[in-house]
Amino acid sequence: MSSPGELLGEQLSGGFDVYIGWREIRDAKGRFALISGVIALLSLMVVMLSALTSGLDAESTSAVRALPGDTVITQAAAGGEASSLTDSRVGDAAVGHVRDDDPQATVLGVATTRVTADGRAAAAAAFGFSDTDEVTVDSETAASLGLSAGSTVVVGTEKVRVDEVADTGKYAHTPVIRMPYSTWMSATGRDAASAVLTAAASAPGGMVATSHGDAMSLVPGYKSEHSSLLLIQGLLLAISAIVVCGFFAVWTGQRVRSLAVVRAMGAGRNYLIRDGLGQAAVVLFAGLLVGGGVGAIGAAIASGTVPIAFDAWSMIALLAGMAVLGLAGAAVALRPLVKVDPLTALNR
């Protein structure tokens, strides 16, 4: 016949049970609410920052993402890397070389300029395409200058007629105006193209071929801006893991004697680990659920005034990453439970 201690040990070891952890959460509500609140705050910051990163990405590169072709040919900078679309100069000889391989290649001109109409002015990025005959003004510029299809506007030094008002994207946080390449040259005073958009992958001497998927790097300042925001997100994820690890390291140290009693009554090490991770999971998921929900609501509210683009799948991936890192941190903090000796712990 089994003793009461053996029966308790069998009960504790019988399944994935967080009875002890759940009881401690109920007995120390304030302490666990505090750590859940910290996790909620971190997850709120991660969600909002992720939405801001996506929004700033679109504000900076949406016009470039919409460019046709598989490859962007630009001038090589002094270091051999591709120049930005604003700084690049592609001469007629290079354009002709690309068109020998791809007769359908599109010549592109990019320049930041000033747009004026009826005494009002706005900054815009002028995109000139060799395969278009229309002038398309973005809705933001059209609203600020009171333009519509058929209006006359001065782009740089050239007076043009607006053929269409539509979403043309943005380039380096500046609204884009699309126009014929010849009009672009007259408006900006440029005598060379900025790039050639082609299906071919080869570039003539002095030029660099950039794939369409990497064309965002041709936007001035995009790399540093995007890298900085991603670094902040990574730091927040790391901080969340450290916070959880630190909390459960202290908490585990305070629980050693009580857990030693449970071990002496027959509970296995695996049960204590499962119980500790279950407790950490409850604290983590409560904080992530609250922080993620508030962050999603905050992003939706702020999207009208701040360049925020909310992506549910990105949010889920980030919160899942925080959960995994948090549980990993908790697992590290719970290592003493594997080595705890009942007799030694009871004599402390």
Side-chain angles (χ1 to χ4, degrees):
M1 184 174 180
S2 299
S3 67
E6 292 172 337
L7 290 173
L8 177 59
E10 294 173 0
Q11 182 180 4
L12 291 174
S13 303
F16 190 81
D17 193 333
V18 290
Y19 170 75
I20 299 174
W22 184 250
R23 186 187 63 188
E24 290 174 341
I25 291 175
R26 286 186 304 172
D27 293 341
K29 296 185 182 69
R31 187 175 301 184
F32 284 97
L34 178 61
I35 187 61
S36 290
V38 172
I39 294 171
L41 180 59
L42 287 170
S43 60
L44 167 64
M45 295 171 65
V46 167
V47 169
M48 292 292 288
L49 187 60
S50 172
L52 181 62
T53 301
S54 299
L56 290 174
D57 184 285
E59 287 273 311
S60 186
T61 66
S62 55
V64 174
R65 293 180 186 274
L67 292 176
D70 299 323
T71 306
V72 182
I73 306 294
T74 55
Q75 183 183 31
E81 70 279 6
S83 297
S84 71
L85 290 174
T86 305
D87 298 332
S88 175
R89 298 291 183 273
V90 181
D92 293 339
V95 172
H97 186 281
V98 175
R99 281 185 163 171
D100 287 341
D101 296 332
D102 180 14
Q104 303 301 318
T106 300
V107 179
L108 171 68
V110 177
T112 302
T113 188
R114 184 180 176 86
V115 182
T116 57
D118 297 329
R120 289 172 290 185
F127 275 39
F129 295 87
S130 61
D131 60 352
T132 186
D133 297 321
E134 295 185 341
V135 175
T136 304
V137 177
D138 72 288
S139 54
E140 181 180 326
T141 301
S144 63
L145 300 181
L147 303 176
S148 60
S151 300
T152 300
V153 63
V154 177
V155 180
T157 60
E158 187 78 2
K159 182 180 288 186
V160 299
R161 180 182 180 276
V162 177
D163 295 300
E164 183 182 8
V165 175
D167 180 14
T168 55
K170 289 191 175 182
Y171 173 78
H173 305 284
T174 306
V176 169
I177 296 180
R178 298 169 61 97
M179 62 188 66
Y181 178 68
S182 58
T183 303
W184 176 85
M185 295 183 71
S186 300
T188 61
R190 300 286 185 89
D191 58 359
S194 300
V196 183
L197 311 176
T198 176
S202 61
M207 301 292 154
V208 178
T210 303
S211 67
H212 190 279
D214 296 327
M216 290 75 69
S217 62
L218 303 177
V219 178
Y222 170 76
K223 284 183 178 179
S224 56
E225 177 186 272
H226 195 66
S227 299
S228 298
L229 291 171
L230 290 180
L231 176 61
I232 295 172
Q233 288 186 51
L235 290 174
L236 287 174
L237 290 174
I239 289 170
S240 65
I242 293 171
V243 167
V244 173
C245 180
F247 173 80
F248 280 100
V250 174
W251 184 247
T252 300
Q254 296 175 348
R255 300 168 65 207
V256 169
R257 286 182 61 85
S258 61
L259 294 177
V261 174
V262 178
R263 283 279 288 119
M265 295 177 69
R269 289 187 177 92
N270 289 337
Y271 171 80
L272 296 180
I273 293 296
R274 292 198 305 268
D275 182 83
L277 287 178
Q279 186 183 69
V282 171
V283 173
L284 266 171
F285 292 141
L288 293 175
L289 183 62
V290 173
V294 174
I297 295 172
I301 294 174
S303 61
T305 55
V306 180
I308 281 180
F310 180 73
D311 184 356
W313 289 112
S314 296
M315 183 194 76
I316 292 172
L318 283 170
L319 294 180
M322 289 186 70
V324 171
L325 289 175
L327 288 175
V332 171
L334 294 171
R335 286 183 61 191
L337 296 183
V338 179
K339 302 177 180 180
V340 64
D341 180 75
L343 294 178
T344 302
L346 288 171
N347 290 329
R348 293 172 67 177

